Amino acid sequence: MKTMTPAEARAKIREGAITCPTTGMCPGYAQGNLVVLPKELAWDFLLFCQRNPKACPLLEVADAGSRTFAQFGAGSDIARDIPKYRIYENGVLTRETTDVSEYFDDPSRQLVSFLIGCSFSFESDLLEAGVPVRQIEEGVNVPMYNTNIPCQSAGVFSGNMVVSMRPIPHALVPAAVAITAQMPRVHGMPVHIGCPEAIGITDIAHPDYGDAVTIREGETPVFWPCGVTPQAVVMHSRPPFVITHAPGHMFITDVPNAVLKL
Amino acid sequence: MKTMTPAEARAKIREGAITCPTTGMCPGYAQGNLVVLPKELAWDFLLFCQRNPKACPLLEVADAGSRTFAQFGAGSDIARDIPKYRIYENGVLTRETTDVSEYFDDPSRQLVSFLIGCSFSFESDLLEAGVPVRQIEEGVNVPMYNTNIPCQSAGVFSGNMVVSMRPIPHALVPAAVAITAQMPRVHGMPVHIGCPEAIGITDIAHPDYGDAVTIREGETPVFWPCGVTPQAVVMHSRPPFVITHAPGHMFITDVPNAVLKL
């Protein structure tokens, strides 16, 4: 799976030959979060992302009803190229499935698909520069926390930023900032360094999403805007119908991470 | 006018005490292009900007009907804080005015205002680094050209990119690229260097918009994506109603240019 092109990987996923999380697949290529909303909510959501680009870095928005991300995945099928999807109705998870064609095919729905950047992209740059990424070392999901940092609201969507946390050795914190600052299309630089209480995190050992990781002596917790923010904000408004990817089961794009720096 | 804050400058403009172009006002603060469209065209235009961020770097989108850019100009009045506006109906310029309140006040219209980044921001960085900006030296408008570089279309909006051109001494071309690459929210790095024919420009001495400038021996023409692109694309579709700023009469924001690098 390390040597497949993104188009080959998406084809394997489409035919059902890959159903696992996409972590580590097609190294060097960006992967993205998926949010699919009915057209009547799409304007507010697009505006929310435009106003909160660090938490919600939009890579691409498909035409209403379209099943292809033409720029980031030529020939892709949004309804089948992700290994696992989640369906939410009125804010409640009602189904997990590997194929959401039936929802796109339903003429009563005009679905709009949003592809949102993911920190997988900057983590490979951190590792290449010798900055450790703890949750990868420990084989768990990144720890994520609700904060008191308000997002700019847009229409029905409002809420606080969700952040991901990586413990960084003191001497490498400036490098971690500089490296991620180069990639604003995948969350960019940290939003906060040290002192979790200052952004409303009272118990660093118990993340609100994902898994706890070890913070060693001589390390600072560093917090980045997180792609869970748009999902959390969408669910908070209890929309009638939403499709997302299942955690870790991302859309693999044709775009190299390096291109996202431009 | 060099010592006013952006809020003070906007207040002077609002009361009619400033009616001239905003070039040179509030140095260090970003200025922006304005496009105001009826709500029914706003989705397509927002999508067009999202898909073409280099030509159309969106700084802020106001709520439908709102007259304030809350993030970039707290307390601003979009309908009066620009020294001169242009009204286009069915693609034809029908009026220039200093106050467009009546259109925003009309309950039959639901106007959406878009603030788009402008190359004024990166020109001050070029000058500070010793890179000459010819049209400023010569006291004219920057030369702009239609190209054969297609934009990604969105709904009713499609067309080719418009570029601005600055002649740069050979030895300073890499610096000009590096400096502007740091500011993707105001067009970012050049789209093309040298050889105008390669992007469909056949007569460099006769720009399609703005004024010709001198290209000296030992200089390369360098082309950047231009904020005229969204206006050109909008006009091409002949929408029933559009408001824009008059050329050179920009919206002065509260945001320092340096912040646009983050």
Side-chain angles (χ1 to χ4, degrees), chain A residues 37-45 108-110 112 156-157 240:
Chain A
L37 288 168
K39 179 75 162 70
E40 57 271 23
L41 290 172
W43 169 261
D44 283 355
F45 188 67
S108 74
R109 301 182 199 268
Q110 269 252 297
V112 181
V156 300
F157 298 119

Side-chain angles (χ1 to χ4, degrees), chain B residues 93-151:
Chain B
L93 174 64
T94 52
R95 190 180 173 205
E96 279 200 345
T97 175
T98 61
D99 185 338
V100 292
S101 300
E102 64 191 282
Y103 303 102
F104 278 88
D105 291 345
D106 179 348
S108 75
R109 301 182 198 269
Q110 268 252 297
L111 297 180
V112 180
S113 299
F114 297 80
L115 184 67
I116 297 168
C118 150
S119 56
F120 284 10
S121 295
F122 72 57
E123 288 179 343
S124 62
D125 270 30
L126 290 174
L127 289 171
E128 277 180 37
V131 178
V133 179
R134 184 62 33 78
Q135 85 276 5
I136 295 179
E137 292 171 6
E138 299 189 341
V140 297
N141 202 346
V142 70
M144 293 166 275
Y145 304 86
N146 295 318
T147 72
N148 60 13
I149 304 168
C151 292

Side-chain angles (χ1 to χ4, degrees), chain B residues 4 41 43 95 98 126 157 209 211:
Chain B
M4 281 187 294
L41 289 172
W43 168 261
R95 190 180 173 205
T98 61
L126 290 174
F157 298 120
Y209 317 88
D211 301 305

Side-chain angles (χ1 to χ4, degrees), chain B residues 10 13-16 34 36 62 65-69 73 75-87 95 97-106 111 113 243-245 251:
Chain B
R10 292 196 303 267
I13 293 167
R14 191 179 312 166
E15 68 191 39
L34 180 73
V36 181
S66 165
R67 284 169 58 159
T68 296
F69 287 126
S76 62
D77 181 354
I78 296 169
R80 293 187 294 161
D81 287 1
I82 282 180
K84 199 184 290 174
Y85 300 84
R86 287 185 164 181
I87 313 291
R95 190 180 173 205
T97 175
T98 61
D99 185 338
V100 292
S101 300
E102 64 191 282
Y103 303 102
F104 278 88
D105 291 345
D106 179 348
L111 297 180
S113 299
I243 303 171
T244 72
H245 65 287
F251 182 89

Side-chain angles (χ1 to χ4, degrees), chain A residues 2-255:
Chain A
K2 294 251 182 200
T3 59
M4 282 187 294
T5 66
E8 288 166 350
R10 291 196 303 266
K12 287 277 182 203
I13 293 167
R14 192 179 312 166
E15 67 191 38
I18 297 175
T19 56
C20 59
T22 55
T23 321
M25 289 184 200
C26 304
Y29 289 93
Q31 300 195 12
N33 302 285
L34 180 73
V35 174
V36 181
L37 288 168
K39 179 75 162 70
E40 57 271 23
L41 290 172
W43 169 261
D44 283 355
F45 188 67
L46 183 46
L47 216 51
F48 185 84
C49 293
Q50 196 280 327
R51 291 177 183 176
N52 299 281
K54 284 165 187 175
C56 314
L58 268 185
L59 297 179
E60 184 167 352
V61 184
D63 288 321
S66 166
R67 285 168 58 159
T68 295
F69 287 125
Q71 287 180 289
F72 277 76
S76 62
D77 181 353
I78 296 168
R80 294 186 294 162
D81 287 1
I82 282 180
K84 199 184 291 174
Y85 300 85
R86 287 184 164 181
I87 313 290
Y88 292 83
E89 291 170 279
N90 303 308
V92 179
L93 174 65
T94 53
R95 190 180 172 203
E96 279 200 346
T97 176
T98 61
D99 185 338
V100 292
S101 300
E102 64 189 283
Y103 303 102
F104 278 88
D105 292 344
D106 179 347
S108 74
R109 301 182 199 268
Q110 269 252 297
L111 297 180
V112 181
S113 298
F114 296 80
L115 184 67
I116 297 168
C118 151
S119 54
F120 285 10
S121 296
F122 72 58
E123 287 177 345
S124 63
D125 270 30
L126 290 174
L127 290 170
E128 277 180 37
V131 178
V133 179
R134 185 61 34 78
Q135 86 275 4
I136 295 178
E137 291 171 7
E138 299 189 341
V140 296
N141 202 345
V142 70
M144 294 164 276
Y145 304 86
N146 295 318
T147 72
N148 61 14
I149 303 168
C151 293
Q152 295 279 342
S153 59
V156 300
F157 298 119
S158 64
N160 288 345
M161 186 185 287
V162 177
V163 295
S164 61
M165 188 279 286
R166 292 162 191 80
I168 308 287
H170 296 332
L172 292 173
V173 171
V177 175
I179 289 164
T180 56
Q182 291 183 307
M183 303 186 76
R185 298 196 71 180
V186 284
H187 301 306
M189 63 183 180
V191 62
H192 188 71
I193 297 169
C195 192
E197 301 76 21
I199 56 171
I201 299 171
T202 51
D203 186 356
I204 195 86
H206 293 91
D208 297 296
Y209 318 87
D211 302 305
V213 298
T214 312
I215 304 179
R216 298 189 190 139
E217 183 78 24
E219 292 183 337
T220 303
V222 180
F223 301 92
W224 277 267
C226 177
V228 167
T229 308
Q231 290 201 12
V233 162
V234 166
M235 295 316 162
H236 181 72
S237 78
R238 305 189 150 276
F241 183 78
V242 186
I243 302 172
T244 72
H245 65 287
H249 300 69
M250 316 296 279
F251 182 90
I252 303 173
T253 81
D254 294 336
V255 176

Side-chain angles (χ1 to χ4, degrees), chain B residues 160-177:
Chain B
N160 288 346
M161 186 185 288
V162 177
V163 294
S164 61
M165 187 279 287
R166 291 162 191 80
I168 308 286
H170 295 333
L172 291 174
V173 171
V177 175

